Amino acid sequence: MSDELNYVLQARREKIAALAALGVVPFAYGFDRQQFAGQCAALLGDAADGPVVHLAGRVVALRAHGKTTFAHLGDPSGRVQLYFKRDVVGEIAYAVCDLLDLGDVIGVRGPLFRTRTGEVTVRVEHLELLAKSLRPLPFGKEEEVDGKVVRHAAFADGEQRSRQRYADLAVHPEVRALFTARSRMTTAIRGFLDALGYLEVETPVLQSMYGGAAAKPFVTQHNALDMPLFLRIADELYLKRLVVGGFERVYEIGHDFRNEGTDRTHNPEFTMLEFYEAYADYTTMMGRVEALLIAAAGAVRDALTAAGLASDAPAFDAAVLAGPFPRMEWLPALSQALHVADVTAMTDAELKAAAERAGVHNIATLSRPKLMDELFQHHVESHIERPTFVVDYPKELSPLAKPKRGNPALTERFELFARGKELANAFSELNDPLDQRQRFEVQARLKAAGDEEATGVDEDYLRAMEYGMPPMGGVGVGLDRLFMYLTGTAHIRDVILFPTMRPE
RNA sequence: GACCCGGUAGCUCAGUCGGUAGAGCAUGCGGCUUUUAACCGCCAGGUCGUGGGUUCGAUUCCCACCCGGGUCACCA
């Protein structure tokens, strides 16, 4: 998009001069707003005439009829019609009205009344231009059909809507409502954890050693210290240090960064919730996750309902979200899906043949547990529709989880799935520093062998653990994906205000 | 990273089997003092993503690149 002034932009700039000739400054310092558009209907009630209102907002529709003009003013509460009549506002103000454009930010004052067609309207007596719009916002025209708003020639280019989210938001109230719902969801999650005595903390984004997950990091450089720093790929190791320190229930909501490709479920920076609770095991955490999800869904449902956006998305599905969520054991579920008595009894050749049929790639390079994991993803995970806990993962797939009591081949780990996607991942956390050191060393060897996602030995973390780390349960929840699930949104870019994109 | 699709006016799109492009809305001008996808009339508006190539001539065909989307790979 060029910044050269085309005829449209030029015309708006010329209006600045015309306004100056009328003695009007096109950019104000403030306005004494006393009501919102959404209140007007109630203020007028059934009467033909109502009280004077002071409103501010953006001109979202404009219809000039010579010596009268109709417009709609949009503000955070909704929109209301404005009626400008030359005999009422006066010559000067009407001249200003004639210079109004779609998108201008204005303040108005005047009494409410009802038009011939019954619409609640402000009979504008006083008009203030608060910010002249010098660039046309991509408003579509709207009409009401059977009570529903139909938008014509709307701003539809997904790329531009993401790049210019300010314009997307300005012309699409329902997009504002969606992001409002996201904010309410986060608030509800904070409230849920705070009520349980959790402490919200902040841990480093810039780390000299990254860990807590397997992912390629972003690297940056600290000039004064002359050293490389990594953007965190997980919060986990710092939060668990805090449990050692005596903060027994901690959580953090923040961005993690992973240097990977983008697609409909991946953005290089994304919002992660992690929470850790001393003396809890994964069973306790399962209950926490279930209650947290229900609380989050309630907040999303309430916010969307308030905006008139009730739908059939999962947040509105009482049956799905009532709990308790079904539980499914990893090994028996896989055995059942493969129609065998015990998947662990299958030979390597049988597993590979099954993987072949499932369309798994690079089968030759995969270990037995990885093959089984691929089969699990293909045959089980992708078919899970309603929120379901998958419990007790094989040890090889869960390097950070404690062995399962009574069956050391498994770990005390669960993941929550819905609509075929992972929503949460949790364990009874490993708190044995000797075991932890061995696992770090395995990672270090992988890293030395060229594995870009492996991490090194975090000596400081081991030192913390050696001081004595209480047993604890820990959970990670990707909030972008949780919100996507609850709202039925297909693309992560549609739930992130400013998704990562190449520059134009 | 591979493959497929797309990029034309401010917005939404059409089109040119190769002869420098159209519509609706928006903008500008004129008319209209209760309209609501307001209406009526007139005008203007485009390096057809960028750079090369073929050609008398390229927005159209070819190549490369840029940006986006989709599928796959990757993402324990």
Side-chain angles (χ1 to χ4, degrees):
Chain A
M1 209 95 9
S2 158
D3 274 337
E4 280 175 44
L5 297 185
N6 64 25
Y7 66 101
V8 179
L9 302 183
Q10 191 58 49
R12 296 219 176 173
R13 276 166 173 71
E14 284 165 4
K15 288 184 183 178
I16 297 283
L19 288 163
L22 293 168
V24 173
V25 179
F27 299 99
Y29 287 85
F31 182 80
D32 181 22
R33 168 158 60 193
Q34 296 183 10
Q35 290 85 18
F36 285 94
Q39 298 174 260
C40 290
L43 287 170
L44 182 59
D46 294 329
D49 295 284
V52 171
V53 293
H54 300 60
L55 303 174
R58 197 182 286 281
V59 177
V60 298
L62 196 56
R63 299 177 296 282
H65 297 69
K67 296 182 184 63
T68 64
T69 296
F70 285 91
H72 275 86
L73 181 78
D75 72 15
S77 71
R79 49 193 278 170
V80 68
Q81 180 166 263
L82 307 179
Y83 178 57
F84 298 89
K85 187 172 180 179
R86 197 178 63 174
D87 293 349
V88 172
V89 291
E91 295 280 341
I92 303 273
Y94 200 76
V96 174
C97 177
D98 267 339
L99 291 167
L100 284 180
D101 285 299
L102 221 47
D104 285 352
V105 180
I106 62 173
V108 296
R109 189 174 69 224
L112 294 170
F113 75 108
R114 195 177 302 279
T115 63
R116 194 161 61 193
T117 56
E119 181 159 353
V120 178
T121 303
V122 180
R123 188 189 313 276
V124 176
E125 294 175 345
H126 178 75
L127 165 66
E128 275 184 50
L129 183 58
L130 304 177
K132 185 68 190 159
S133 168
L134 293 180
R135 182 180 293 270
L137 277 166
F139 281 106
K141 290 212 165 192
E142 294 178 355
E143 70 172 325
E144 232 175 74
V145 178
D146 301 333
K148 288 204 297 189
V149 174
V150 177
R151 200 175 282 134
H152 301 271
F155 186 34
D157 183 329
E159 175 185 350
Q160 291 307 326
R161 289 179 61 184
S162 294
R163 286 190 191 282
Q164 301 187 46
R165 186 68 80 194
Y166 37 88
D168 186 31
L169 291 163
V171 304
H172 293 138
E174 71 278 14
V175 176
R176 291 200 298 270
L178 187 74
F179 283 103
T180 300
R182 178 168 174 160
S183 182
R184 299 282 185 262
M185 180 186 85
T186 308
T187 301
I189 289 171
R190 286 201 165 93
F192 172 81
L193 291 168
D194 290 347
L196 286 169
Y198 275 80
L199 190 70
E200 182 173 12
V201 296
E202 297 177 75
T203 65
V205 170
L206 293 174
Q207 306 180 347
S208 58
M209 169 167 276
Y210 61 94
K216 294 175 205 164
F218 285 92
V219 190
T220 187
Q221 174 70 22
H222 190 294
N223 291 338
L225 295 179
D226 188 25
M227 67 176 191
L229 285 170
F230 303 97
L231 276 65
R232 68 177 172 200
I233 58 172
D235 307 352
E236 171 151 354
L237 300 182
Y238 280 97
L239 291 173
K240 290 199 279 196
R241 283 171 169 93
L242 293 176
V243 177
V244 169
F247 288 135
E248 295 186 346
R249 296 185 178 194
V250 290
Y251 73 97
E252 180 163 15
I253 294 173
H255 279 197
D256 287 348
F257 306 83
R258 296 186 183 177
N259 210 336
E260 295 158 357
T262 65
D263 62 30
R264 65 170 61 183
T265 59
H266 292 82
N267 195 63
E269 60 178 311
F270 58 98
T271 306
M272 180 65 86
L273 160 68
E274 291 191 26
F275 57 100
Y276 294 84
E277 178 172 333
Y279 311 115
D281 65 7
Y282 78 142
T283 310
T284 301
M285 300 317 271
M286 216 177 297
R288 300 271 189 256
V289 169
E290 189 172 277
L292 183 146
L293 190 75
I294 290 168
V300 169
R301 187 170 56 231
D302 290 349
L304 293 181
T305 300
L309 292 178
S311 72
D312 59 356
F316 292 88
D317 189 335
V320 164
L321 293 168
F325 301 155
R327 299 183 186 193
M328 174 187 290
E329 290 178 66
W330 199 90
L331 273 177
L334 180 58
S335 297
Q336 189 182 350
L338 294 176
H339 308 293
V340 297
D342 179 6
V343 66
T344 61
M346 290 173 75
T347 66
D348 287 0
E350 286 171 335
L351 274 178
K352 286 185 177 174
E356 191 81 50
R357 285 195 297 277
V360 176
H361 294 257
N362 303 320
I363 290 173
T365 68
L366 297 178
S367 64
R368 244 183 105 78
K370 287 295 295 175
L371 275 174
M372 287 163 62
D373 190 39
E374 292 285 348
L375 287 168
F376 190 86
Q377 286 178 25
H378 183 268
H379 288 289
V380 186
E381 282 181 16
S382 59
H383 297 122
I384 294 177
E385 277 302 314
R386 53 178 305 187
T388 301
F389 288 115
V390 175
V391 304
D392 297 345
Y393 281 65
K395 184 175 180 182
E396 294 87 343
L397 298 175
S398 312
L400 298 170
K402 286 177 79 77
K404 181 173 172 62
R405 283 162 278 195
N407 187 348
L410 300 178
T411 54
E412 297 197 355
R413 172 186 181 188
F414 70 84
E415 294 196 300
L416 178 67
F417 290 92
R419 293 211 168 166
K421 303 285 185 201
E422 176 193 330
L423 292 183
N425 184 22
F427 329 116
S428 297
E429 301 286 342
L430 185 65
N431 65 337
D432 173 349
L434 302 176
D435 189 351
Q436 182 69 66
R437 178 175 292 280
Q438 286 179 0
R439 299 194 195 202
F440 273 150
E441 284 169 354
V442 169
Q443 285 288 306
R445 279 197 292 278
L446 289 172
K447 188 178 184 180
D451 185 340
E452 291 180 276
E453 296 186 346
T455 57
V457 179
D458 191 333
E459 290 292 348
D460 178 73
Y461 178 67
L462 287 170
R463 176 168 60 192
M465 199 180 270
E466 284 166 3
Y467 282 126
M469 178 180 282
M472 70 178 102
V475 176
V477 182
L479 295 190
D480 313 274
R481 290 190 189 173
L482 174 59
F483 187 68
M484 286 169 68
Y485 166 66
L486 291 174
T487 55
T489 304
H491 296 83
I492 197 168
R493 63 163 185 264
D494 294 332
V495 301
I496 293 177
L497 283 168
F498 297 102
T500 304
M501 300 183 86
R502 286 196 155 90
E504 287 177 271

